[in-house]
Amino acid sequence: MAKSNTRGAFLALLAFAIYATHDVVVKLLGRDYSAVQILFFATLLGFPLATIILMRDRVSGNLRPRHPWWVLLRTGCIVTTALCAFYAFSVLPLAQTYAILFTMPLLVTLLAIPLLGETIGLHRGCAIAAGLCGVLIVLRPGAEPLSLGHGAALLAAATSSLGSVIVRKIGQDERSVVLLLYPMVANFFVLGLALPFVYRPMPLEHLGMMGIIAVFSLVAMLLTIAAYRMAEAVIVAPMQYSQMIWAAIFGWLVFGERADVWTWLGAGVIIASGLYIVGREARRNVSEHRPASQTRLRPEVGLMPRLLRRRDTRDGA
């Protein structure tokens, strides 16, 4: 197991380094294009790759959801998450965006109470409260002006967490291809309707950068799934916080950003809270659904399928 855990951790580190590079490309394009345009073309260019993966689904059945309203809500969550996350990466410093998105395990744990009937004890409750205090440290309401980008990052974390909990609620009944295809198609059509209002002509190199977003999303997703298959979630999950290191490196080298002490302090509190919840769930098996330990800190944006087969539902949210 030690060898598998080591390899899984390495794959996870590699995956999140690629995800961080993906976010740098999003931020670079965000200087010239709206989040709608970036996401539309990244989705369009990702369809051939996604189609190849979805063709591997061998589960018989049709594309009619068994839980249409939950699938519709999740689809709306993913479209909203995608737009908000891409916009936040475009306008906020990378470190701030990551710090806010790191609240996802905390929000999943909270949302699991009404939607999955879970309960949380004193320890997890205190960890969640501490994590939310970390968000206040990062945002410093009243001390620093809050922007639309901060609101977008918070909304992305919330809608991504809700979509994650919905997967746990209906994932055993719905075909993986249904859970994967609907958000991709919704991205294409919804953003396609909005595109004429924000479109700006693109040179070929910028179109290629949007293709890079799609390819990097695919490669990182495959590496993440491989890591979770190879190693325990409690080993792999903390590797996702390495994105904060990449945010500091890329932010400084590419964008001239320097995260202040409050951002690092708040991020540290949020990360510590998330790690505590992950470790506690793994040690005590306190939750039948174990939402936090199996929550990815990457918001699902409908660019690429997150599940390859039905038995991988746990890897997809």
Side-chain angles (χ1 to χ4, degrees):
M1 179 62 72
K3 181 179 179 181
S4 295
N5 281 341
T6 301
R7 293 175 61 190
F10 174 78
L11 290 179
L13 286 172
L14 180 59
F16 287 100
I18 294 173
Y19 271 132
T21 309
H22 162 290
D23 298 333
V24 169
V25 178
V26 171
K27 189 171 180 65
L28 287 170
L29 289 170
R31 293 172 169 177
D32 301 308
Y33 308 102
S34 75
V36 170
Q37 185 168 343
I38 298 170
L39 186 58
F40 174 82
F41 280 98
T43 302
L44 180 64
L45 295 172
F47 261 116
L49 300 172
T51 300
I52 294 173
I53 294 176
L54 291 173
M55 287 174 61
R56 298 179 58 184
D57 185 87
R58 295 291 184 265
V59 180
S60 60
N62 54 43
L63 296 178
R64 181 180 302 170
R66 296 183 180 179
H67 303 276
W69 293 111
W70 285 114
V71 171
L72 179 63
L73 178 58
R74 177 176 177 272
T75 299
C77 285
I78 293 177
V79 174
T80 303
T81 297
L83 284 172
C84 290
F86 273 47
Y87 178 76
F89 277 119
S90 298
V91 300
L92 291 181
L94 287 172
Q96 276 195 14
T97 306
Y98 282 129
I100 295 171
L101 293 179
F102 285 165
T103 61
M104 287 169 53
L106 311 178
L107 297 176
V108 168
T109 304
L110 283 176
L111 290 170
I113 298 172
L115 294 182
L116 300 180
E118 296 210 359
T119 58
I120 60 172
L122 177 62
H123 292 272
R124 285 202 295 171
C126 290
I128 292 171
L132 297 180
C133 288
V135 176
L136 294 178
I137 295 173
V138 172
L139 297 180
R140 280 167 291 159
E144 293 289 335
L146 298 180
S147 68
L148 186 60
H150 294 102
L154 285 169
L155 184 56
T159 52
S160 182
S161 300
L162 178 57
S164 178
V165 175
I166 291 173
V167 168
R168 283 153 178 74
K169 185 174 184 67
I170 67 174
Q172 296 300 316
D173 299 327
E174 296 287 358
R175 291 183 65 200
S176 293
V177 67
V178 169
L179 295 174
L180 305 175
L181 193 59
Y182 275 63
M184 295 182 67
V185 173
N187 266 346
F188 179 77
F189 283 104
V190 173
L191 300 176
L193 290 174
L195 186 63
F197 300 98
V198 298
Y199 178 77
R200 294 184 60 185
M202 295 182 297
L204 186 60
E205 58 267 26
H206 285 180
L207 188 62
M209 290 172 69
M210 294 191 182
I212 288 174
I213 294 174
V215 172
F216 278 19
S217 180
L218 170 66
V219 173
M221 177 270 296
L222 292 175
L223 288 172
T224 304
I225 290 177
Y228 272 94
R229 286 176 175 169
M230 188 174 298
E232 298 170 276
V234 70
I235 299 296
V236 176
M239 300 301 107
Q240 301 173 79
Y241 292 112
S242 66
Q243 291 172 107
M244 198 68 184
I245 299 174
W246 290 113
I249 295 173
F250 285 136
W252 176 55
L253 291 178
V254 181
F255 304 106
E257 300 171 352
R258 292 182 182 273
D260 60 27
V261 64
W262 294 107
T263 298
W264 284 107
L265 178 60
V269 174
I270 295 169
I271 290 170
S273 302
L275 288 176
Y276 182 82
I277 291 176
V278 169
R280 187 169 182 82
E281 288 180 353
R283 184 173 66 253
R284 298 187 58 187
N285 194 25
V286 296
S287 166
E288 178 184 354
H289 299 279
R290 302 180 67 186
S293 64
Q294 295 188 11
T295 296
R296 312 300 176 250
L297 297 185
R298 290 295 308 185
E300 186 176 356
V301 297
L303 277 184
M304 282 292 157
R306 295 299 180 95
L307 313 176
L308 298 183
R309 288 181 293 275
R310 186 174 183 83
R311 66 184 178 87
D312 297 327
T313 299
R314 62 185 183 279
D315 294 321

